[in-house]
Amino acid sequence: MSLSYALLGILKMSPMSGYDLNKFFNDSINFFWSAQMSQIYRELKSLEEKGMLTVVEETGTKGPNKKVYSITELGIKQLEQWLRNVPDKIDEDNHNVFLLRVMLLGDLGAEALYEQIKIRLQKYKDDLNELYEVEKRIPYYLQQTGRLEQKPFLEITLKRGLSDVSAHIQWAEEALIELSKLIENKI
Amino acid sequence: MSLSYALLGILKMSPMSGYDLNKFFNDSINFFWSAQMSQIYRELKSLEEKGMLTVVEETGTKGPNKKVYSITELGIKQLEQWLRNVPDKIDEDNHNVFLLRVMLLGDLGAEALYEQIKIRLQKYKDDLNELYEVEKRIPYYLQQTGRLEQKPFLEITLKRGLSDVSAHIQWAEEALIELSKLIENKI
DNA sequence: GCTGACATGTAATTCGTTACATGATTAC
DNA sequence: GTAATCATGTAACGAATTACATGTCAGC
C-alpha cells in the first residue's frame, strides 16, 4: 500500500506523531497526497507491528500525550526497496470526477458547464496561491530538519504541482472563452 | 458513487452492454476514467435493481448473448441531479504515487530519480499519442451516435487531457535537465 | 463555560482490485 | 486444435471514507 510508504518516507526525514504527519500532509504535500487521520493511525499501528516503526510516548507540554514514531532499519530497507523497484504497470490513479462532469454536463447545455468551470477556475487559483506559500516554507523546513541537500528534489516535486495547476488554469480560461462563444451564438 | 454516474451518463448517450462500456472507457475516456469489468457488472446490476436502468438480452451475431442496458427516466433524473449539484467540497482524488516517489527518491540520489523520470517521460509521450488517436475518433463517434451538438464539449474534455499531458512532458524534460546538472556537478 | 486546537483511536460501510469461473465464436 | 476476442459474472480481499467515541489544555 502506498500510504505506508508515504508514512515511512516522511518519518525517515524526521520522527513525529500521527497528528503531525497529518499536518505535514495538509501543509506541505496536500497537492499530491492526503489521508484521513483514522487511516494514518491504523497504518502506523500496523507498521509498528511489522517492526518498521518504533514508538515512544512523549508527555507534551500541552495537550495529551503524543506517540512519536521513528523508522527502524527494517523500515528504511523496505522503503528503499519500494523506491528502487519501478513498477512496470504505471498505475496512475485516473478517476477524475470533475472531467466526468465536464463531459456529461454538455448534455445540459453550455451555461451549466460554464458556471461549474468558473467555480473550478477559482479553486485552481486558490491552489496556486497555496503552492506559493508551500514554496516559501521550503527553506525554513529544510533548515529545521537539516536536509539542505534535499532542496533540488523538493523543488522538482513542487514544480510539478505548479505546472499542473498552471495548466489547469489555462485550460479553464480557454474553456470559458469557448463556452461563452457558444452561449452568445445560441441567443 | 461516481462510477454509477459515469455508467448512467454513457448509457444516456447510447444503450450498451457492460462489455461495450468497458471498451468505451478504454478507447475514449481512459485518460480520466477507467474501471474493472467486475466492478462494471456489479454496478450495472445494482443500478438495474434501483430502477435506473433496464436490461434487454440480445442474441448477438457473434459470441454469447449480450445484456444491453438502457437508462430509465429515473436514471436520467438522478444523473441530472448529480450533475447540477456542485459539491462544495471539491474532492479531487489527489493520490499521486509517482510524485511521492519523486519526493522520496531524492534521498537515494539524483541518478535513481533521473532514471525513473526518464521512464515516466516516455509514458507521457505514449499517452499524448493515444490522445491524438482519441481526437481522431471523435467525429466518427459523434456521427455514429448522432450527437454532433456534443462536439464542443467533448473537445473541451479532450483538451484538458492534452493540456495535462503536455504539462507533464514539459515538467519531466525540465526535471531531467536539472538532474543531469546535479549529476555532473557531483563528479 | 465554551470554542478551538491538540491528540488518539474503533467500528461500520463502501469502494475497488484480484483471482476465480464459465462458455461461445472466429480466424489461423 | 488453439489462440484471440467476445461476453458475463462471483467471491474474497484490501483500501479508504464516514461516523462514532474520548479526552486535554489554552485562551476568551
Side-chain angles (χ1 to χ4, degrees):
Chain A
M1 215 222 319
S2 16
L3 174 61
S4 55
Y5 296 107
L7 296 174
L8 288 172
I10 300 168
L11 290 174
K12 196 187 164 194
M13 299 175 190
S14 161
M16 57 182 107
S17 69
Y19 194 84
D20 295 335
L21 280 159
N22 188 51
K23 262 206 303 201
F24 183 81
F25 282 130
N26 291 331
D27 296 349
S28 301
I29 61 174
N30 191 43
F31 67 95
F32 72 85
W33 206 274
S34 67
Q36 302 298 122
M37 294 260 28
S38 57
Q39 210 191 335
I40 292 173
Y41 286 121
R42 203 206 291 140
E43 202 55 35
L44 284 172
K45 199 177 157 190
S46 147
L47 287 170
E48 197 218 329
E49 279 163 7
K50 286 177 195 150
M52 297 194 233
L53 297 177
T54 52
V55 62
V56 173
E57 207 157 338
E58 220 173 56
T59 315
T61 49
K62 60 178 174 177
N65 286 0
K66 266 188 185 190
K67 286 190 175 178
V68 177
Y69 288 88
S70 305
I71 195 166
T72 63
E73 280 305 313
L74 178 65
I76 292 175
K77 232 172 83 182
Q78 295 286 116
L79 173 63
E80 196 174 323
Q81 208 170 73
W82 179 76
L83 283 172
R84 292 213 187 267
N85 168 1
V86 185
D88 19 85
K89 198 181 114 214
I90 292 176
D91 58 333
E92 285 304 311
D93 193 353
N94 67 338
H95 287 73
N96 190 324
V97 181
F98 174 62
L99 261 197
L100 178 65
R101 280 175 179 281
V102 170
M103 184 180 78
L104 299 178
L105 265 168
D107 209 40
L108 302 184
E111 291 88 349
L113 184 54
Y114 185 93
E115 285 311 315
Q116 295 204 15
I117 292 184
K118 216 173 96 184
I119 292 169
R120 189 55 66 125
L121 174 59
Q122 188 51 54
K123 198 227 162 205
Y124 292 146
K125 287 180 174 170
D126 295 345
D127 286 351
L128 189 62
N129 285 325
E130 219 179 288
L131 281 176
Y132 288 143
E133 292 303 314
V134 175
E135 196 171 26
K136 279 189 216 153
R137 282 200 293 270
I138 286 185
Y140 171 75
Y141 161 75
L142 285 169
Q143 248 188 333
Q144 252 199 338
T145 52
R147 305 185 139 251
L148 280 163
E149 76 281 3
Q150 293 297 308
K151 203 181 169 206
F153 305 108
L154 290 188
E155 276 171 356
I156 285 173
T157 310
L158 189 74
K159 264 186 199 158
R160 167 66 179 252
L162 291 167
S163 135
D164 277 355
V165 178
S166 309
H168 292 162
I169 290 175
Q170 214 194 319
W171 167 81
E173 283 172 345
E174 284 169 15
L176 288 178
I177 293 170
E178 268 304 303
L179 289 169
S180 59
K181 277 186 207 159
L182 281 177
I183 293 167
E184 271 175 47
N185 289 340
K186 228 174 50 186
I187 300 170
Chain B
M1 214 223 319
S2 14
L3 174 61
S4 54
Y5 296 109
L7 297 174
L8 288 173
I10 300 168
L11 291 174
K12 196 186 164 195
M13 298 176 191
S14 160
M16 57 182 108
S17 69
Y19 194 83
D20 295 333
L21 280 159
N22 187 51
K23 262 205 303 199
F24 183 81
F25 282 130
N26 291 331
D27 295 350
S28 300
I29 61 174
N30 191 44
F31 67 97
F32 72 86
W33 206 274
S34 66
Q36 300 300 122
M37 294 260 29
S38 56
Q39 210 191 334
I40 292 173
Y41 286 121
R42 202 210 285 149
E43 202 54 36
L44 285 173
K45 200 177 155 187
S46 147
L47 286 170
E48 197 218 329
E49 279 163 6
K50 286 174 195 153
M52 297 193 231
L53 297 177
T54 51
V55 61
V56 174
E57 206 158 338
E58 220 175 56
T59 315
T61 48
K62 60 178 176 178
N65 286 359
K66 266 187 183 191
K67 286 192 174 176
V68 177
Y69 288 88
S70 306
I71 195 167
T72 63
E73 280 305 313
L74 177 64
I76 290 175
K77 232 171 83 182
Q78 294 286 116
L79 172 64
E80 198 173 320
Q81 208 170 73
W82 180 76
L83 283 172
R84 292 215 187 266
N85 169 2
V86 185
D88 20 84
K89 198 182 112 214
I90 292 177
D91 57 333
E92 285 304 313
D93 193 352
N94 67 341
H95 287 73
N96 191 325
V97 181
F98 174 62
L99 261 198
L100 178 65
R101 280 173 179 282
V102 169
M103 184 180 77
L104 299 177
L105 264 167
D107 210 39
L108 301 184
E111 292 88 350
L113 184 54
Y114 185 93
E115 286 310 315
Q116 295 203 17
I117 293 185
K118 215 173 96 185
I119 292 169
R120 190 54 65 124
L121 175 58
Q122 188 52 53
K123 198 228 162 203
Y124 292 146
K125 288 180 175 170
D126 294 346
D127 286 350
L128 189 62
N129 286 324
E130 220 178 287
L131 281 176
Y132 289 143
E133 292 303 314
V134 175
E135 196 170 26
K136 280 187 215 155
R137 281 199 293 269
I138 286 186
Y140 170 76
Y141 161 76
L142 286 169
Q143 247 188 334
Q144 252 198 339
T145 52
R147 305 186 138 251
L148 280 164
E149 76 281 4
Q150 293 297 307
K151 202 180 170 208
F153 306 108
L154 290 188
E155 275 171 356
I156 285 174
T157 311
L158 188 75
K159 264 187 197 156
R160 166 67 178 252
L162 290 167
S163 134
D164 277 354
V165 178
S166 308
H168 293 163
I169 289 176
Q170 215 194 317
W171 168 82
E173 281 172 346
E174 283 169 16
L176 288 178
I177 291 170
E178 267 306 304
L179 288 169
S180 60
K181 277 187 205 157
L182 282 177
I183 293 167
E184 271 174 49
N185 288 341
K186 229 175 49 185
I187 298 170

